[in-house]
Structures are given as C-alpha cells and as structure tokens.
Amino acid sequence: MKPAVAYIRCSTEMQEDSPDQQKKEIEEFALRKGYKILEHYIDFGKSGTTFEQRSEFLRLRSTVERKPNFTAVICYDESRWGRAIDSEENTYWRFYFRKHGVDVILVKTAVDRGNEFAPMISAFEGMQASQYSKKLSELTLRGAKNNGIYSNGGTPPYGYKRIAVNTKTCNERELVTGEWCISGQEKVRWAIGATEEVEVVRTIFKRRIEGLGFFLIAQALNRQCIPCPKRGRWRNFDQKWSTGTIRSIVHNPAYYGARIYNRNSMSKILAQQKGVDLRHGVSYPHWTNERSEWVIEENSHEVIITREIWDGANAQRSEESKKKCNGYLYKGRYLLTGILKCSRCGFPFQGCSSSVNGKKYEKYIDGGWKNKGICSHLGISKSTLEEFAIKAIKDVLIQPNLVKEIEAQLEHLLESGPATNRDEIERIKKLIVESEQKTKHLTDAIENGGAIQSLFDRLKALEEEKGLLNVRLQSLTLVNERKIDPAKISEIVAKFILNFEEKFENAPIEEKKLLVKKMISEIVVDREKGVVRFYVRRVPAVSPELEKLYINKKEPAKIAGSECSGGRT
C-alpha cells in the first residue's frame, strides 16, 4: 500500500466536521484508494484563515521538506486544508508540497485530478473557501452586535461569573472555567461573582474616589496578599496587582451595568479590508474602532457599583490626559523610554521627575518597583544615562573606514551565494519548529500548576532564541533573493552617519527617540553587577533590510560604578 499521512483541522469542537469524523472519512478513503495512513497531523481549534499560525501544519511542512517516507497528504476537503484570506495561498501550499514530492489529496472534492482543467477548478474551490470565511466573519460580527444583553464569548470581568440561559425553558446554570454553553440552545449572561472579588472591586473604586493613584491602590492590595485577576491566558505569573490592572477595572463600564461591544477588533479579515499591514509577523492585529461603530448596551447585567461612583472614579480621566498617556512613549522628554530595562525583574525603567528643596531631579525609575511593588527601588540620573548613550552612538559612528567595512562584509555575504545558504535555511526552520514545540510544552506545564522559576527562565530563553532564529532566517532569505545592493546600503549608511549629529541636535524629541533606537537595540541595568550595558548596533537600522541583515550586537558599552540617586549603577 502507498504510504500517506492525514491532515485534519477544526476551528471548534462544535463543528459538524469534527476531527473524529474527518479521521474516519480519511481512513475509509485511504483504504479504498490503496493508501496506508502513517500519522495524523491534527490542528484543533485553529483558524483556517492563516497557515502560519497552525503548529501541526508547520510540523507537517517541516517533515515534507526533509524527504519524508510518504508520498501523499490526505485532507477531508478544501476548507479543512485552508480558508486563507488570500485564496491563492491554498494553491501555493499544494504546489509547494508537490515540489517536494508529496501530493495533497482531498476526500470531498469535485475536481477530477486527471482533467486538464483540474488546477483551475482547485483554485476556484480555494477561492470559495476563502469567500466563505469572509462571509462568515461578516455574519458573526452582525450577530454579535445584535446579541443584546448576552455575552459574545470570552471571560467575564473580575467580580463577575458566567450564567448559561436556556433560550426555550429559561433555565439557568453557572459555567465553570473552561466550560461552554450549548450552542443553539443557550446564551450566556454575566452575574455577580465571588463575594471577595466584588468587595475588592468596590474597594478599588472607593480608594480611587478618595484620590489614590493606581500604583498606590495596587501596592495596598499586594501588601494584603489579595490574589490578582488571572483570566484566560494572561501571563501574569507573579500574581501581583499592577497599575494597568487597576486602570482597566476603573475604566471598565461593565461595573455599572453597561456592555460595550465592537470597541476593539482583532480580525485578520477586517484588517485586510482596513489596510492593516500583516506582512511583518503580525499574527493577531489589534486596533480601536471609531466610536460610531461601538455597540453600547445599558443595564445589561447586575451592577457592582453605581454609575455615579464610576463617574467619580473616572472624573480625572480627561481627553487631554488620555492623549498624553498614549503619546508619552514617543513625545515624553525621556530619551531612553522603552529600551532601558532591569535585568532582575525585566520591567522597563520609566522617566520620573521630583523636587527636593526647590531643586528639580529627573531620573529613570525601575518600573517593576514603581508599578507593581516588586523588585527594589533604583533611580538613575536622566542626564548621566542620556549623555553616555549619545557618546556611545557617536563613538561607533566616527570609527574610521566603517562604511567600507560594512560594504566589504555585504559583498562577502553575497559571494557565498544562495546554494551555500540553502542548508542553513532548512536547519534554522527545523530549529524554529523545535523551539515552538518546546515552548508549548513549557506553557502547558506552567498552566497546569508547574509555576516554578526555572520554567519561567527556560520559557524566556526559548522566546529569545526563537526571535534570533527568525531574524537570522529572514536575513538569509534576503541574501538568497538577491535583494541587497551593497553599494546602495553603504551609501545610505554614510548619509546617516554624516547627518546624524546635526539632525539629532535640531530634531524634536520624537525624532531624537527614533534616531536613538536606530543605533541602540537595548540598554540593560545589571542590578547584580552594578553596571548599565548599552548594546549599540554596528550598523544603524536605517532601513528594514539592514535591521534584518545585521543582528549581531557590538560588545556592550558600560557605565560602571557611577553614583546615582537611589543606588549604584
């Protein structure tokens, strides 16, 4: 019998073409056609709109690329193979597999493989599957907007629980974590949850009205060892309240009984329609819709606090303060915001100013201590750090023959040719798949109660390793495709170096920050050794191609043992 494997995909367990049904149909088909199924690749709970987000498909692809011991992949039908946003992607992956000696065979299809028009009809089936997803997305959005007081899915806010209501008998039952309502028979509403959670919510609003800031409220709850919200797949492993958690509760209208739907969107299909760029690794795009598109349902469930209390707690949240908060990363006067991080807790340092006896001080404060009350306090002089950062950048840019060295390195890289890099590309792809599998196993272990520091450290290391592998893969792909002109790149770099100092001196703060980020990939405050490490790019990230091509960092420049208020660094 001819060797083959089965590929099975299902978005939810409530679909009619469930994994068990697909498996049965595929095995019966294989028996009739003289195939022996060696292995089943099952993507359960995975959307068909993308191939890159399906772990089992990626594993199958990796196996196909390594000269497998099978000659066919049998799939139930076109929609199970994929409903890609771009319908041509379905055809592309069939061709890709066939190029590696493996046919993709569908059980349910109207295509006669022996017909000369078979490729055209297959492409048409792929387009139908793609259009079905787009139509289903529109219908789902329309239905969700008209769902009234009932939940459209997801976890309830802190302090609430889910109640399944039978639409015919009106019988109600409480849903535990991970339990679903019965599709077509029940709908879900929110009800008042655990008493201790409700009291915490009321305390938060009370303290906010009294004038306490988000940080002080979070700090007080952490001191009382009150467990923080841990909903769904949140990665709040340390179980600490943060300013962000407090802010999200205070700003949530659900607590006075209102539900707002369609405020945010994460649809890849809508992203394509709105022109959101998905080419650079954005698996789940996210944006806020116009207020006119929001669906607001007042009095949709029981209230924990009154509307008056909610308004009082949110009185300080003016439109001006919201704009200032959202734009601070780019417009704030602290030059190193977002790239200065603590080695101990991993949180970024944040700009903070204060006055003592009429004298003003500007520092970078450890965000782990400032926002969550974890780690320990450390403040570093703003001027000391920023002056050293600018000096470190200039020291790299004034190196003699820097442009010639860059051009020579690019020429050498291109001389190796595509054939030399092909094996390396395949090796890196294999390592990425292995890294993703290890990450999944660690995540499962953590979610099942294995919350020990060694697991977190290993998970962090794997994420960093996978990131470097992806960047290296992209750089090799660029070289293979011959999209690099060494002379052009060296010209761009030379121009950047020549204009850097003048442009930096005269630029507004947001442009200064962009210039710094083009030269410094990260700054790490090593709390154990008392130094600050500046990782300066030898090649400025003046274009996406350059940033992908050069991932090696220069030996870190250091500020060692300089006195700063709040500690030594």
Side-chain angles (χ1 to χ4, degrees):
M1 298 182 76
K2 296 173 287 186
V5 298
Y7 177 71
I8 296 169
R9 185 193 66 80
C10 193
S11 299
T12 71
E13 66 183 20
M14 295 183 292
Q15 289 182 249
E16 292 180 0
D17 44 0
S18 64
D20 288 339
Q21 180 188 342
Q22 291 180 52
K23 184 177 179 180
K24 179 182 176 182
E25 294 277 356
I26 288 172
E27 289 177 345
E28 290 176 355
F29 175 87
L31 188 62
R32 291 196 307 270
K33 299 295 183 180
Y35 288 99
K36 180 182 179 182
I37 302 298
L38 304 179
E39 187 177 358
H40 296 81
Y41 293 80
I42 304 176
D43 271 319
F44 180 74
K46 299 294 184 180
S47 169
T49 57
T50 174
F51 283 86
E52 296 298 331
Q53 300 299 318
R54 303 189 224 158
S55 57
E56 283 297 276
F57 175 82
L58 295 177
R59 186 168 73 90
L60 173 60
R61 186 183 71 183
S62 178
T63 304
V64 168
E65 291 167 345
R66 296 196 304 268
K67 297 182 179 179
N69 60 345
F70 55 86
T71 58
V73 175
I74 303 178
C75 186
Y76 181 70
D77 65 10
E78 187 72 28
S79 65
R80 299 306 96 200
W81 176 245
R83 287 174 172 156
I85 298 173
D86 184 345
S87 59
E88 293 181 0
E89 193 172 356
N90 279 24
T91 305
Y92 168 78
W93 287 115
R94 276 198 293 270
F95 169 75
Y96 185 85
F97 277 37
R98 189 166 64 250
K99 192 169 66 171
H100 287 80
V102 178
D103 279 335
V104 176
I105 301 173
L106 303 180
V107 176
K108 301 293 183 181
T109 179
V111 179
D112 178 3
R113 292 166 58 83
N115 191 302
E116 61 178 321
F117 296 107
M120 181 180 70
I121 301 172
S122 293
F124 181 72
E125 281 193 345
M127 185 182 68
Q128 281 186 313
S130 175
Q131 290 299 319
Y132 176 84
S133 281
K134 294 175 181 178
K135 189 66 177 177
L136 185 61
S137 175
E138 294 173 3
L139 293 174
T140 301
L141 180 61
R142 186 178 67 188
K145 286 181 177 180
N146 296 324
N147 213 10
I149 65 173
Y150 295 107
S151 170
N152 288 309
T155 54
Y158 181 75
Y160 283 97
K161 62 184 179 182
R162 295 178 303 147
I163 301 294
V165 182
N166 190 295
T167 55
K168 293 182 179 179
T169 65
C170 295
N171 291 335
E172 298 184 351
R173 63 187 180 94
E174 182 179 345
L175 297 174
V176 299
T177 302
E179 186 180 5
W180 293 2
C181 68
I182 301 173
S183 179
Q185 298 181 28
E186 296 177 322
K187 289 191 174 184
V188 176
R189 67 174 181 84
W190 293 341
I192 298 293
T195 303
E196 56 272 19
E197 291 188 1
V198 172
E199 289 304 317
V200 170
V201 171
R202 289 171 177 162
T203 299
I204 290 172
F205 277 92
K206 179 182 178 183
R207 295 288 180 264
R208 183 63 180 161
I209 289 175
E210 290 172 352
L212 268 67
F214 299 132
F215 170 71
L216 292 178
I217 297 174
Q219 189 178 55
L221 294 174
N222 287 332
R223 285 175 179 170
Q224 296 174 50
C225 297
I226 296 174
C228 76
K230 189 169 186 294
R231 295 287 194 263
R233 299 184 65 84
W234 286 15
R235 293 189 175 185
N236 199 352
F237 295 130
D238 57 20
Q239 301 288 299
K240 298 290 184 182
W241 290 85
S242 68
T243 54
T245 308
I246 301 297
R247 182 185 293 108
S248 67
I249 289 176
V250 171
H251 293 167
N252 193 342
Y255 291 105
Y256 72 80
R259 286 188 68 254
I260 298 180
Y261 183 73
N262 203 41
R263 178 167 45 179
N264 301 304
S265 183
M266 295 176 63
S267 167
K268 293 185 284 293
I269 294 174
L270 288 178
Q272 185 191 48
Q273 295 173 355
K274 290 177 176 285
V276 178
D277 191 358
L278 299 178
R279 292 174 298 171
H280 303 298
V282 182
S283 58
Y284 293 101
H286 183 278
W287 69 91
T288 300
N289 291 318
E290 296 293 333
R291 192 176 183 88
S292 59
E293 298 180 55
W294 295 4
V295 177
I296 303 175
E297 190 74 31
E298 300 283 354
N299 304 315
S300 63
H301 52 263
E302 299 171 80
V303 305
I304 291 180
I305 48 98
T306 64
R307 177 62 186 266
E308 290 72 25
I309 293 176
W310 190 88
D311 287 339
N314 285 274
Q316 303 175 39
R317 194 191 182 201
S318 65
E319 288 298 319
E320 183 180 351
S321 67
K322 283 191 289 183
K323 290 179 181 177
K324 180 180 178 182
C325 177
N326 293 335
Y328 186 77
L329 180 64
Y330 304 99
K331 298 181 180 179
R333 64 179 178 276
Y334 290 85
L335 198 60
L336 308 178
T337 303
I339 56 175
L340 179 65
K341 296 185 178 181
C342 173
S343 65
R344 186 181 297 164
C345 66
F347 281 86
F349 277 67
Q350 299 175 353
C352 184
S353 61
S354 60
S355 298
V356 178
N357 297 327
K359 185 176 181 180
K360 187 175 182 179
Y361 292 89
E362 292 183 317
K363 306 173 188 175
Y364 286 95
I365 304 294
D366 190 314
W369 174 85
K370 186 173 184 295
N371 290 327
K372 286 198 168 189
I374 60 176
C375 210
S376 59
H377 173 269
L378 177 63
I380 308 176
S381 166
K382 174 179 181 289
S383 59
T384 300
L385 278 179
E386 293 183 0
E387 287 172 6
F388 188 88
I390 296 169
K391 180 179 181 300
I393 292 172
K394 290 180 178 178
D395 286 346
V396 171
L397 295 181
I398 63 174
Q399 291 179 15
N401 301 320
L402 176 61
V403 176
K404 289 184 179 180
E405 288 178 14
I406 293 170
E407 188 170 347
Q409 290 178 38
L410 287 171
E411 290 284 4
H412 175 72
L413 195 59
L414 287 173
E415 285 172 3
S416 62
T420 306
N421 292 326
R422 191 175 296 117
D423 291 341
E424 179 68 5
I425 288 174
E426 297 304 320
R427 187 184 72 84
I428 291 175
K429 286 181 178 179
K430 180 179 177 182
L431 290 174
I432 290 173
V433 172
E434 291 174 353
S435 177
E436 288 173 345
Q437 292 173 347
K438 292 176 182 177
T439 300
K440 183 180 184 302
H441 293 154
L442 281 174
T443 304
D444 290 343
I446 291 170
E447 290 181 347
N448 290 330
I452 57 177
Q453 189 60 45
S454 61
L455 291 180
F456 298 142
D457 294 341
R458 178 60 180 149
L459 186 63
K460 181 179 178 182
L462 279 173
E463 293 287 352
E464 292 175 352
E465 176 187 325
K466 189 170 71 173
L468 290 174
L469 286 171
N470 277 317
V471 175
R472 178 62 176 159
L473 179 62
Q474 291 171 350
S475 69
L476 288 172
T477 303
L478 280 174
V479 173
N480 262 19
E481 295 175 355
R482 297 279 185 174
K483 292 182 178 179
I484 299 173
D485 181 351
K488 182 65 176 178
I489 291 179
S490 61
E491 179 185 337
I492 295 171
V493 173
K495 185 177 180 181
F496 178 87
I497 294 171
L498 184 66
N499 297 333
F500 177 82
E501 190 163 354
E502 179 183 356
K503 190 171 183 179
F504 188 85
E505 293 298 327
N506 300 321
I509 186 64
E510 53 265 37
E511 289 187 21
K512 287 184 177 180
K513 287 186 174 185
L514 289 174
L515 287 169
V516 168
K517 288 182 178 180
K518 287 178 184 295
M519 287 300 302
I520 299 179
S521 60
E522 66 176 341
I523 306 171
V524 178
V525 180
D526 191 329
R527 301 294 294 270
E528 312 306 327
K529 296 184 179 179
V531 296
V532 178
R533 294 188 175 87
F534 288 70
Y535 292 91
V536 184
R537 292 184 173 97
R538 184 169 176 78
V539 178
V542 296
S543 71
E545 288 79 10
L546 283 178
E547 187 163 10
K548 291 174 182 175
L549 185 59
Y550 280 85
I551 63 172
N552 295 326
K553 298 171 183 175
K554 183 186 173 185
E555 281 298 313
K558 300 178 182 178
I559 300 179
S562 58
E563 289 287 349
C564 296
S565 177
R568 291 174 63 87
T569 181

